[in-house]
Amino acid sequence: MIAIVSIRDIPVRTLSDESTTLADLAGDKVLLVVNVASKCGLTPQYTGLVELQQTYGPRGFSVIGVPCNQFMGQEPGSAEEIQQFCSTTYGVDFPLLEKVEVNGDGRHPLYRELVRTVDAEGEAGAIQWNFEKFLVDRDGKVVARFRPRTEPKDPAVVSAIESVL
């Protein structure tokens, strides 16, 4: 059995079906891991996520998008369709992982770890909806959790990112 040293060491697959880890995918960058969907009322948050990537990427930051179809079937597409939508509609240039389950018995191991993190109100547990955000520092520690309606450019998100860069 492989000992998981950090959340960065949990095996994941890219949207193009390559086996990797967050450490291999993004190095020692600060990460914002977000479960995403293409047909959600919150989908326009992709714009803010791309802006965060453009603003902070050069300073050692990366958004990691994790498609999920568990919330009213709002991410029904294939990997190719998701990639096409994200790149042509929003100009997404940050890494996207394979579509996974973030809640329930089939919850991906990455999300088994992420949901242990408390939000600003001190609550941990299940992902509430698409676009829940987790900030991971360079050491692999989850340092903040932002619920779905918190916009990527919200001052609390920006401040948290700047504090760990």
Side-chain angles (χ1 to χ4, degrees):
M1 178 167 195
I2 298 171
I4 303 296
V5 176
S6 158
I7 200 163
R8 294 175 174 279
D9 298 324
I10 296 171
V12 296
R13 297 193 78 74
T14 66
L15 195 57
S16 56
D17 200 33
E18 298 169 14
S19 182
T20 189
T21 63
L22 296 179
D24 289 340
L25 191 63
D28 69 348
K29 293 179 179 176
V30 169
L31 305 175
L32 188 67
V33 180
V34 186
N35 62 301
V36 295
S38 301
K39 300 188 181 309
C40 174
L42 301 177
T43 299
Q45 286 192 24
Y46 268 122
T47 299
L49 294 172
V50 168
E51 290 173 5
L52 288 177
Q53 180 70 36
Q54 292 170 346
T55 300
Y56 296 107
R59 292 176 54 194
F61 169 84
S62 183
V63 174
I64 304 287
V66 187
C68 177
N69 195 41
Q70 284 189 289
F71 302 100
M72 294 182 63
Q74 294 181 344
E75 187 58 272
S78 67
E80 296 78 20
E81 290 167 331
I82 293 167
Q83 183 66 55
Q84 173 91 17
F85 172 82
C86 290
S87 62
T88 59
T89 308
Y90 289 100
V92 168
D93 59 354
F94 51 78
L96 295 168
L97 301 183
E98 71 176 342
K99 192 181 331 184
V100 301
E101 291 186 13
V102 298
N103 286 330
D105 293 340
R107 178 182 280 150
H108 190 279
L110 175 63
Y111 275 85
R112 280 201 296 268
E113 292 302 314
L114 290 174
V115 299
R116 295 178 183 191
T117 305
V118 298
D119 62 14
E121 284 74 46
E123 293 186 31
I127 301 298
Q128 293 179 345
W129 200 254
N130 302 307
F131 292 90
E132 193 142 339
K133 301 153 201 71
F134 294 87
L135 185 63
V136 181
D137 72 10
R138 294 178 192 278
D139 296 323
K141 181 176 185 234
V142 185
V143 296
R145 179 179 188 165
F146 303 97
R147 296 297 182 167
R149 294 201 177 276
T150 304
E151 293 285 333
K153 301 286 296 253
D154 183 283
V157 177
V158 170
S159 175
I161 291 168
E162 289 180 348
S163 75
V164 292
L165 277 178

